[in-house]
Amino acid sequence: MPHPQVAVQHCKRGDDAVLPTSLPNYKIFPDRFKYAIVQPMHKKVDKSFITNYRSLSLLTSCSNILERILFNRLCQYLQMNSILALQQFGFRKESNIGKAVFALTDYILPSLNSRQQIGGIFCDLSKAFDCVNHEILIAKLHYYGIHRVVLNWFKSYITTRK
């Protein structure tokens, strides 16, 4: 999906690489973009259990556009600086479950062919986003080079939602 073109410079610092140059005048994520209409969205078979629903936030168009720009820029920054592990398949461009299954199969096949025992632990992370500790997330962003204005943007983005 194409995103709006924004005039930006490529810089080595995390702030400049992630935040479009026209936005540093705003020290925080604009409050007017934090408003959302939250609706329940059915995810699983049985509609009688509340745990089979997740919240869906309907945001303003401007907020969606800005989020997409920041998401794309952050992904480029993480990719350019080789921050993400190659074994991370979720939420990455040109990656999917098929590639994850292939990588796992490729990894364990030599042991299977040698008749070695193999064990695996698989975790359902489908609701992991609801459990993200915001302080740890901000600390990780800082650790990986996101500082100053952009770090403040992320802090303000995940707090005081309306």
Side-chain angles (χ1 to χ4, degrees):
M1 176 166 96
H3 63 278
Q5 295 298 315
V6 177
V8 294
Q9 291 179 320
H10 286 291
C11 299
K12 292 183 181 178
R13 294 224 17 104
D15 286 0
D16 298 325
V18 176
L19 195 63
T21 55
S22 60
L23 297 173
N25 295 334
Y26 295 96
K27 302 298 182 201
I28 59 171
F29 192 86
D31 282 338
R32 64 180 168 260
F33 292 165
K34 292 182 185 181
Y35 289 95
I37 297 171
V38 181
Q39 295 182 336
M41 182 175 157
H42 182 252
K43 279 186 75 172
K44 297 187 180 176
V45 181
D46 193 346
K47 291 187 176 187
S48 63
F49 289 105
I50 197 165
T51 56
N52 289 339
Y53 290 83
R54 70 177 181 90
S55 59
L56 175 68
S57 296
L58 303 173
L59 304 169
T60 65
S61 296
C62 292
S63 181
N64 282 330
I65 291 168
L66 188 52
E67 283 180 23
R68 177 56 56 185
I69 292 169
L70 292 175
F71 172 78
N72 288 338
R73 300 292 307 265
L74 182 61
C75 286
Q76 287 173 353
Y77 173 78
L78 295 172
Q79 188 80 21
M80 185 173 56
N81 291 288
S82 302
I83 292 171
L84 298 177
L86 295 175
Q87 295 81 7
Q88 179 178 331
F89 293 92
F91 302 102
R92 293 186 76 173
K93 197 173 191 175
E94 298 178 13
S95 187
N96 56 45
I97 190 69
K99 288 184 179 184
V101 169
F102 178 79
L104 177 64
T105 305
D106 191 50
Y107 181 75
I108 65 172
L109 241 129
S111 297
L112 283 173
N113 290 336
S114 301
R115 299 193 185 278
Q116 295 177 350
Q117 289 186 348
I118 298 172
I121 298 174
F122 299 91
C123 301
D124 179 7
L125 300 176
S126 61
K127 296 183 182 179
F129 182 77
D130 298 335
C131 303
V132 172
N133 181 308
H134 292 168
E135 290 178 19
I136 293 172
L137 176 61
I138 295 300
K140 290 275 188 183
L141 287 170
H142 184 266
Y143 176 81
Y144 288 116
I146 306 300
H147 302 289
R148 302 181 323 225
V149 175
V150 175
L151 193 63
N152 287 336
W153 267 66
F154 281 107
K155 282 181 192 175
S156 102
Y157 177 79
I158 60 178
T159 58
T160 63
R161 306 290 299 178
K162 296 171 175 72

